[in-house]
Amino acid sequence: MTDKYAVIGNPIAHSKSPQIHKMFADQTGQDISYEAILAPLDGFAATIERLRKEGYKGCNVTVPFKHEAWQLCNELTSRAIDAEAVNTLKFETGKVIGDNTDGIGLVRDIEHNFSTSLKGKRILLIGAGGAAHGVLHLLLEAAQAPLVIYNRTLEKAVSLKKTIEQHEKLKLRSVEAVEFGKLGDKQFDVVINATSAGLTDSEIPLPVTVFAPGALAYDMMYGRETPFLKFAREHGVAVITDGLGMLVEQAAESFFIWRGVRPETAPVIAALRKQQ
Ligand code: NAP
C-alpha cells in the first residue's frame, strides 16, 4: 500500500515540496504519495488529527504552523527543542514525533553543495524570526566560532541570543545581538539573510565592508534575486546563493526520517533551477 505524506501550511499552493518528494520517490523507488494541504488558520490541530485517522505516516509543516506543530508533539528531537519549531512530523501509533530539518538543510547546502566548511567561519545571521531561530543552533555547532545576530528589532535578536545563553551545550559560545545600522566595520566569512525582507524588495542596511575576502552570501528566500543578493553581487562577493538548495536539503532530511533512505539532492536542485 502507498504510504501517504503531505505538507501543511496556509497559504500552500506555491509549495514546491510535492514536486521535490515526487522526485525523491521516483529516484529511490519508495512507494509514497505526497500532497499539499491547506489548513485553516485556526484548524491546524484538527487537520493533523484527520490525517492521523486517515493513516498518513507523516507530514511537513510550513508557515504559519511550525510553532503550533512544536506544541502539539508528544516527542521532540533535540533539533526541534532548540528551534522551538517543527517542520517534520512522523506519526506513530499513539504518538506524534516532531523534528526540525531546516538547520541541517542550510548547513548541508553550504557545506556540501557549495563545498564551504563552516568550521571557524565568522557568521552574520540576519534576522531573528522563526527561520533564524530554526538554523541558529546548528550554525553555531558547525562553525564553532563567534556569530552575530543582526536584526531590525534589537529585542528579538537579544531574545534569540538568550536561547543560546541558556543552552546546555552552546552557552559558552560567543553570540552578539546587533540592531540594524550598528555593525560598524565587522567582517564576516558567511552572511546569511534569514529575514523576509526580500518578499517586499526591502534592503538590509549593510556596510560595504561586511564581506570578508572569499565570503559567501546566502539568502534563505528563493526564486529571485533579492536586494540583499544584489548588494552582495555588486560588492564582488565570490559565492552567492538563494535558499533553493536549503529547501531541497531540508526535504531530503525529512524523507530520510520517514523512509530511512537518503535521496540524491543535486539532480533535484538542478531540475528546480531549470524551472526558475
Ligand atoms: P518571521 O518569523 O516572520 O521573521 C521575519 C524576520 O524578517 C524578522 O527578523 C523581521 O525583523 C525580518 N523582517 C521582515 N521584514 C523586514 C524588512 N522589511 N526589513 C528588514 N527585516 C525584515 O519569518 P521567518 O519564518 O523567519 O521567515 C524568513 C524568511 O526565511 C522567509 O522569506 C522564508 O521564505 C525563508 N525561509 C526559507 C527556508 C528555505 O528552506 N529556503 C526555510 C524557512 C524560511 P523584525 O524582528 O524587526 O520584525
Side-chain angles (χ1 to χ4, degrees), residues 115-123 142-147 189-190:
S115 308
T116 302
S117 167
L118 286 168
K119 194 151 185 217
K121 296 281 160 67
R122 295 161 293 174
I123 298 178
Q144 299 180 32
L147 179 148
D189 306 299
V190 176

Side-chain angles (χ1 to χ4, degrees), residues 53-237:
K53 281 199 185 117
E54 290 176 7
Y56 282 71
K57 299 284 184 190
C59 64
N60 284 129
V61 180
T62 187
V63 177
F65 300 122
K66 288 185 187 181
H67 188 68
E68 198 175 338
W70 181 78
Q71 290 169 317
L72 170 149
C73 291
N74 310 98
E75 255 181 60
L76 291 167
T77 62
S78 60
R79 298 191 296 213
I81 291 169
D82 290 344
E84 293 181 26
V86 155
N87 76 339
T88 306
L89 295 174
K90 189 174 180 186
F91 303 147
E92 289 191 352
T93 314
K95 67 178 176 187
V96 177
I97 305 166
D99 201 342
N100 190 310
T101 66
D102 281 335
I104 193 71
L106 174 66
V107 169
R108 283 229 178 94
D109 193 32
I110 293 174
E111 294 207 318
H112 292 215
N113 302 337
F114 288 92
S115 308
T116 302
S117 167
L118 286 168
K119 194 151 185 217
K121 296 281 160 67
R122 295 161 293 174
I123 298 178
L124 178 66
L125 179 61
I126 310 172
H133 195 162
V135 301
L136 172 64
H137 294 72
L138 279 173
L139 282 176
L140 270 175
E141 271 174 28
Q144 299 180 32
L147 179 148
V148 173
I149 303 168
Y150 185 54
N151 198 45
R152 183 176 60 180
T153 310
L154 179 63
E155 295 73 40
K156 285 206 213 156
V158 170
S159 152
L160 194 49
K161 171 181 147 86
K162 279 197 183 126
T163 68
I164 299 301
E165 287 165 355
Q166 290 157 4
H167 193 274
E168 190 56 33
K169 281 197 291 182
L170 299 173
K171 62 186 169 198
L172 296 178
R173 292 289 158 77
S174 160
V175 176
E176 203 181 331
V178 176
E179 74 182 299
F180 275 11
K182 303 229 168 123
L183 262 187
D185 57 1
K186 287 189 173 67
Q187 278 210 321
F188 300 88
D189 306 299
V190 176
V191 181
I192 299 165
N193 183 17
T195 73
S196 46
L199 288 176
T200 51
D201 272 336
S202 307
E203 310 225 343
I204 307 283
L206 288 168
V208 292
T209 48
V210 70
F211 300 107
L216 179 147
Y218 197 108
D219 200 315
M220 281 169 60
M221 229 185 89
Y222 50 84
R224 65 196 159 93
E225 188 182 62
T226 59
F228 165 73
L229 290 184
K230 182 166 177 273
F231 177 86
R233 180 171 52 77
E234 288 172 351
H235 290 86
V237 173

